[in-house]
Every structure is written in structure tokens, then in C-alpha cells.
Amino acid sequence: MFKKKLGLVSLAAFALTLAACTGGEGEETSSTDTSVSETESTANGEESGVVEFETVMSNDEDAIEGGTLRYAMVASSPFQGIFSPEFYEDAYDSELMGFSHESLFSVDESFMLSQDGMATFEFNEEAKTIAITLKDDLKWSDGEPLTTEDVLFSYEVIGSPEYTGVRYGADFENIVGMAEYKAGEADTISGITITDDQNLTIEYIEVNPSILQSGGGIWGYPMPKHQLENVAIADMAAAPEVRNTPVGAGPFRVKSITPGESVEYEANEHYWKGAPKLDGVIVDVIAPETIVSEMNNGNYDVASMPTDQYDTYKDAENFSLLGRQQLAYTYLGFKLGNWDAEASKNVYNPDAKMADVNLRQAMAYAIDNNAIAAEFYQGLRENAKGMIPPVFGDYVNTEIEGYYQDTEKAEQILDDAGYVDKDGDGFRETPEGEELVIKFASMSGGATAEPIAQYYIQEWKNIGLNVELSTGRLIEFQAFYDMLEADNEEIDIYQAAWGTGHDPNPTGLYGETAAFNYTRYVNEENTAILNKINSQDAFDPDFKFDAFNEWQEHMFENVPVIPTLWRSEVFAVNNRVKNYDITYGTTDGWEAVELTSEAAY
């Protein structure tokens, strides 16, 4: 074994730290409404509990008329408050818009677009077009008509040279005439044609199966042109029309906002399905450290719960638990280049500190994510073998074994690559004999953030790598992503999580033009495989799944990212709530939710 500079700090010790932070266990009483079961599965030969949940809040009590639901948005930081699908940047603002904004298209249980939403569509593979038809009498939350001009307007904003958001990428570039419009060489997008207020056709350069997958080809969110057409596109993200008085097409509309802290919604009587059952919703930001007591005290009706505290709330009596596999994964990413804003693409740097694949592989084999899942997440997370979450089924390459802890293998990889301790300080130098200090960025928030970050650092030190926290401490959520987007030199490796959305196609996260490709990993092989996934040949299922398998193998071998944990998400729902449904593919949203009593239990 390599000589360790510091003594081993075991994962069990970190677990003790976590227990001290959480303040002890909750009540050990059972709830007949929770509908939770535990099964056993194996990972690398070890048994671990996997918890399964119901996805619909069943409630036989009669509903009251109206009422206000209180929703806790569990977060360690204030929300940004960008109420625009075109400009928002994080999951918190997306969570807030779940009440006030809605896509034109519904999604089935396989995450494919269906015909049950505000719009229907007709796909012509030969002509490479999609014809969209809006349903009759659609209105915005302020009562103004929602037309195809609003649909086109969203494409014009995202495609504008003045656009400041992160939505533009390969999907938009694939629209005929979009590249010319983006470059300022055309005044219109030639591939988008409006027939009338309800009918619009989009022509694509190439088509592939993702075009029929939610989020994979058709941009589903119109923009209220009547409200925003006189706002400069460069100023839209900060405009009061977006931050203070947003107009949407969801079941509720924003009534008032306390910046960063709270949003009050009222029923949208213009909603296309009819007015929602509730009178309104109040959303407050609640810290992870206090959400369990808030739910136990009946202060909120619904909350997405911290999975690292599951043992403290799993037996609650006044609320039930719903859960599902999350369309997300946690990962460790290596900074390998930079974003070229002028060219709108990622640029790989072969001289980056972490450019050596051997160094990245060694760091992957140094850590034990099975142990982290077991110690910190009580069966609600598992070691991730790749970047396609298992909820996507056939898209997952089951032949990849993933990274697992093998300290001797990690050390041997470093030895063979020339990373040795030449000055006897306990840390390895580069093959060129230069000092190697690796800066690791991790977010603050929740009881497990610090112990998990320190565990990773310790395990990397155990193989002789000198790893330090960027800035010397955990970084607040918004500041963390600001640093990532700016390719801050304080970051060599970082810990984060991705929500994949309904489309497993990885191009939007790892493509050359993907602004979200924070690793800045680009090479010809990766691009070629992504092109296969995005080709018309991928309409052949065998070709498509082979391409997905090839991409996962490529990423496993080249390690621009270490996938760490596949995740489950758990929702606490007060027992007065009725018809809350988190099933993937459901057509019942917030408009169907009801309450059975005036006060929460």
C-alpha cells in the first residue's frame, strides 16, 4: 500500500458525524398509510435494502371545496426566481414553475410525447417535419390567447444572437435555418412555418427517435409574446416580467413573490383543463435540517424529502411517503477544458491538469460509492454504474460493471502512469516531477455534504493524491454553479448531480455545443457516437440501443465523469392531501390535487 500522509478516516466515523448533525431519530411508530416495502438486492456481492414506494396519494376522505396547499421547497439556498423555461438555470426554479408553467405536450409512461396535452402533433419521418396543432381556445394565465405566434416566439428568443440562457444546443441547431438565424444572417427561422393561430410546422435537418421523446427535439414551452416582445432579449432573464409578474399556462398563476424565500399562487381560471380544485398554493423555502420537524408538526402538505434523513421520518403518522426512481444521477466531474462563448461550444484542453485518463481512472477506483449509499441513504440510493439511470430500462448498458473501490488497482494505475512520491512528503508528483495539488469543489447543504466530501478527499489521499477543497470550504449552491459555468481555475474536480429529464439522450449534457457540459469533454469518438444516437438510423431499435451502449462504454473507459449514485426521490404528503400523483406518464397534475380538511394533520 502507498504510504499515507494522514491516518485513515473511516466511513463509519463520518456516519457518526452525520448522526450528530441530524439530531437523533424520529418517532419509532408505524403508519398504515405510508405504503413502503423493503426488498433485498445485491451490489458487488453485498446485500443492501432497496426501498419501494407507492406513487399516488390514496385518500378515501371527502374533499373540501378549494383550500390552500402549503408546499415546502427543501433547499439550503434562496431560489433565483427566474420564471421562464427559456432562461431558468436550476432545479429550484423548475420546481417553482411546476405550478405556473406547462409544456404543450403530455408524456406517456415511456417518456414519449403523447397526444393528451395542450397540443397534438404529426411526425413525418420522410419529410423530416413535425406539424403541431394547438387545442381550441388556449389562454395564458392573464386571459390573453395562446397562439402559434407564442410558440414561434420561444424559438426566436432561444435562437437569437442576444440570447443569454443555456437552452440553445444541438436540438435547436437541427432546425432548418436556425444556424443562420443564430448567426444573425437571417431575420427569420426558415424551418418554422405558421399556417394559422393553431397550426405550425417545424422542419429538421435530421430526425431521430429523440425527436419524439419529451425534451428531445420539440421545444414544448411557448412564451407570452404579448408580455415580452418589447423586452430586449439580452435583458429578459432579469426583467420584472419574468421575475415579478410571470405569465404562464399552468394550473396556477403567481400572485406574489418574496424574492428567494416564498411564492404564493392562485388558481388560474383560464387553465386549459378548467380551474384547479385548490384555491391556491403557498411555497416556502425550508432548510433540509428542519424539514422533518416542519412536516411532523403539520406545517406543510407536500415536500421532497432529504433521503439522507430517511430513518428520521419513515415512520411518521401524520404524513405518507410516495417515491420513485429519479431521472437523475450524482457524479464527480473533471474539468478538462473551457467554454468558448463566441463559438458557443466546448473546447477540450489536452494540457488540463486532469487530462490524463490514468489519473481519472485511479480516482474512480479509490472510492466506495456502495458504502456511501448504504451508510448515508438507507436504501434510497445505489452505486451508479453509468450515466443512464435505470428507470430508462433498455437504454442502460448492463454489461458495464461500473467503478468500485479497489485501492491496490488505483495505486497500480498511478504507479504505471508515473505518478510517484519523489520528495517523500506522502503525496505523488506528476510524471514530469511537478507538484500535483487537485482542487475539489463540492456544494454545501444538508448534513451529509461535508462528511461525503471529506470521505472522498481522504480516500484520494489514501492513494497518495493531494486533494484540497476549492476555496477551502464547501460552496453555496448558486456560487458553485457560477464557478462551474465560468470554468473557474479553482476547480479540477467537482461533485454535482444531473437531472436527465425525460430523454436519455446524453447529447444535451455531453455534446460539443452543450453549455451544460461542464467537464468540457470533447473528442472525435464521443462526437461520432452521439451523432449515431442522433441519426435517422436510430429509428431502428437495435441500432439505437447499440449506439447508447457504445456511448456508455466510451464514457466508462475515458472517465470524464465518475458516476457515483443513482437516486430515488421521496415525497412526504400530509394525510389531508388527495389525488397527488407522481407516477411517470400521469396526466393528472396539480390541477387534480384536493384537500380533505381545512387544517393539516
Side-chain angles (χ1 to χ4, degrees):
M1 298 291 287
F2 193 86
K3 181 181 178 182
K4 300 176 179 61
K5 185 171 187 284
L6 298 176
L8 175 65
V9 180
S10 71
L11 197 58
F14 285 126
L16 289 174
T17 303
L18 171 60
C21 291
T22 58
E25 295 289 322
E27 291 183 285
E28 293 298 327
T29 54
S30 61
S31 169
T32 58
D33 296 319
T34 301
S35 300
V36 178
S37 63
E38 294 188 5
T39 60
E40 294 295 319
S41 66
T42 59
N44 292 334
E46 297 181 3
E47 290 190 351
S48 61
V50 177
V51 186
E52 297 180 352
F53 301 87
E54 297 293 334
T55 58
V56 182
M57 182 64 179
S58 300
N59 194 325
D60 295 331
E61 298 293 323
D62 292 334
I64 64 171
E65 185 174 346
T68 298
L69 181 138
R70 296 188 64 87
Y71 182 94
M73 189 169 77
V74 182
S76 298
S77 305
F79 59 80
Q80 291 193 75
I82 304 175
F83 286 84
S84 168
E86 291 74 20
F87 287 97
Y88 84 95
E89 298 175 339
D90 59 57
Y92 297 133
D93 284 351
S94 177
E95 194 172 347
L96 291 170
M97 284 190 289
F99 298 96
S100 56
H101 291 66
E102 186 168 313
S103 173
L104 293 173
F105 305 103
S106 57
V107 181
D108 66 20
E109 65 277 4
S110 299
F111 309 113
M112 302 298 291
L113 297 179
S114 66
Q115 307 285 3
D116 299 321
M118 284 188 281
T120 58
F121 63 93
E122 183 176 344
F123 172 56
N124 187 322
E125 181 179 346
E126 184 177 347
K128 301 180 181 178
T129 60
I130 288 183
I132 299 171
T133 299
L134 303 183
K135 291 191 173 175
D136 295 339
D137 299 321
L138 294 181
K139 289 183 171 61
W140 290 102
S141 58
D142 61 359
E144 290 294 317
L146 191 163
T147 73
T148 49
E149 286 290 343
D150 300 303
V151 180
L152 173 61
F153 186 56
S154 66
Y155 283 90
E156 291 175 334
V157 168
I158 293 174
S160 168
E162 305 302 316
Y163 177 64
T164 59
V166 294
R167 300 279 102 78
Y168 189 86
D171 292 341
F172 287 91
E173 193 88 5
N174 188 36
I175 296 170
V176 171
M178 181 64 83
E180 293 80 3
Y181 183 77
K182 181 71 171 177
E185 299 169 358
D187 295 330
T188 61
I189 304 168
S190 61
I192 303 181
T193 304
I194 289 179
T195 303
D196 54 40
D197 283 350
Q198 289 181 256
N199 293 279
L200 169 149
T201 301
I202 303 175
E203 182 182 359
Y204 294 89
I205 298 169
E206 299 290 344
V207 291
N208 62 75
S210 280
I211 213 160
L212 299 179
Q213 196 107 28
S214 174
I218 312 176
W219 178 248
Y221 292 92
M223 283 187 93
K225 185 174 181 178
H226 68 279
Q227 185 201 32
L228 295 170
E229 64 180 330
N230 294 322
V231 178
I233 293 175
D235 300 330
M236 273 188 186
E241 291 87 349
V242 167
R243 299 284 187 138
N244 302 330
T245 57
V247 171
F252 296 91
R253 60 172 165 257
V254 173
K255 182 177 181 181
S256 64
I257 301 173
T258 302
E261 298 179 8
S262 181
V263 181
E264 183 177 359
Y265 303 85
E266 62 185 359
N268 173 16
E269 70 274 21
H270 305 296
Y271 183 55
W272 69 281
K273 291 184 183 180
K277 305 284 187 167
L278 297 169
D279 292 327
V281 176
I282 294 174
V283 178
D284 293 325
V285 174
I286 303 297
E289 294 82 2
T290 61
I291 186 57
V292 175
S293 62
E294 294 280 4
M295 291 302 297
N296 282 333
N297 291 331
N299 294 334
Y300 292 92
D301 293 298
V302 179
S304 178
M305 301 296 282
T307 51
D308 55 11
Q309 299 179 48
Y310 176 64
D311 281 347
T312 70
Y313 59 78
K314 66 180 181 179
D315 297 318
E317 291 188 314
N318 68 318
F319 60 84
S320 302
L321 298 179
L322 305 181
R324 62 188 178 186
Q325 286 184 317
Q326 201 168 1
L327 300 172
Y329 58 89
T330 310
Y331 72 101
L332 294 162
F334 296 97
K335 273 294 185 181
L336 301 171
N338 64 279
W339 174 254
D340 184 337
E342 184 174 346
S344 295
K345 67 178 183 178
N346 296 288
V347 179
Y348 176 74
N349 177 13
D351 297 320
K353 186 186 296 185
M354 311 308 293
D356 188 345
V357 66
N358 296 292
L359 178 59
R360 304 197 299 268
Q361 286 178 339
M363 294 182 75
Y365 282 116
I367 56 180
D368 187 351
N369 290 305
N370 280 319
I372 288 176
E375 291 287 348
F376 293 135
Y377 295 105
Q378 295 94 47
L380 298 176
R381 295 192 184 181
E382 59 181 310
N383 181 44
K385 297 179 180 179
M387 277 93 77
I388 305 292
V391 68
F392 287 116
D394 291 341
Y395 290 92
V396 179
N397 187 337
T398 57
E399 299 299 316
I400 294 177
E401 62 182 0
Y403 288 102
Y404 52 87
Q405 188 173 46
D406 188 334
T407 304
E408 290 186 8
K409 184 173 184 175
E411 291 179 330
Q412 190 63 56
I413 290 173
L414 292 174
D415 290 342
D416 293 344
Y419 292 89
V420 297
D421 179 10
K422 297 181 179 180
D423 59 12
D425 67 348
F427 291 125
R428 298 174 186 265
E429 278 73 48
T430 68
E432 295 74 28
E434 299 174 354
E435 181 183 32
L436 177 61
V437 179
I438 299 171
K439 298 287 189 177
F440 172 43
S442 191
M443 280 180 282
S444 59
T448 61
E450 182 73 34
I452 290 177
Q454 291 299 332
Y455 165 74
Y456 284 139
I457 289 173
Q458 182 61 52
E459 294 306 287
W460 289 325
K461 287 185 176 180
N462 287 342
I463 61 170
L465 295 177
N466 187 3
V467 181
E468 301 176 351
L469 280 176
S470 302
T471 73
R473 62 187 182 280
L474 299 185
I475 304 169
E476 184 271 335
F477 178 86
Q478 299 298 348
F480 174 88
Y481 278 103
D482 287 345
M483 292 176 68
L484 270 190
E485 291 173 7
D487 302 315
N488 192 292
E489 293 182 357
E490 272 289 300
I491 302 178
D492 299 314
I493 182 173
Y494 61 92
Q495 180 180 207
W498 270 135
T500 62
H502 293 152
D503 185 7
N505 188 330
T507 307
L509 297 179
Y510 298 103
E512 182 176 13
T513 60
F516 284 133
N517 183 359
Y518 292 139
T519 67
R520 313 308 183 196
Y521 176 71
V522 178
N523 67 22
E524 291 183 0
E525 183 180 1
N526 183 53
T527 300
I529 299 171
L530 292 177
N531 286 342
K532 288 183 183 179
I533 291 174
N534 293 305
S535 71
Q536 197 159 349
D537 291 334
F539 281 107
D540 177 347
D542 290 336
F543 182 95
K544 175 179 64 176
F545 293 130
D546 284 346
F548 269 89
N549 285 342
E550 185 180 359
W551 181 78
Q552 290 168 82
E553 290 169 2
H554 172 82
M555 296 297 277
F556 174 74
E557 292 169 359
N558 289 275
V559 213
V561 162
I562 305 170
T564 55
L565 297 170
W566 284 329
R567 304 147 63 103
S568 295
E569 55 186 339
V570 179
F571 297 83
V573 186
N574 189 273
N575 290 334
R576 75 167 180 152
V577 176
K578 185 173 184 175
N579 300 329
Y580 180 61
D581 189 350
I582 63 167
T583 309
Y584 290 125
T586 182
T587 56
D588 289 333
W590 285 110
E591 76 284 350
V593 175
E594 297 179 275
L595 301 175
T596 62
S597 66
E598 293 291 343
Y601 297 121

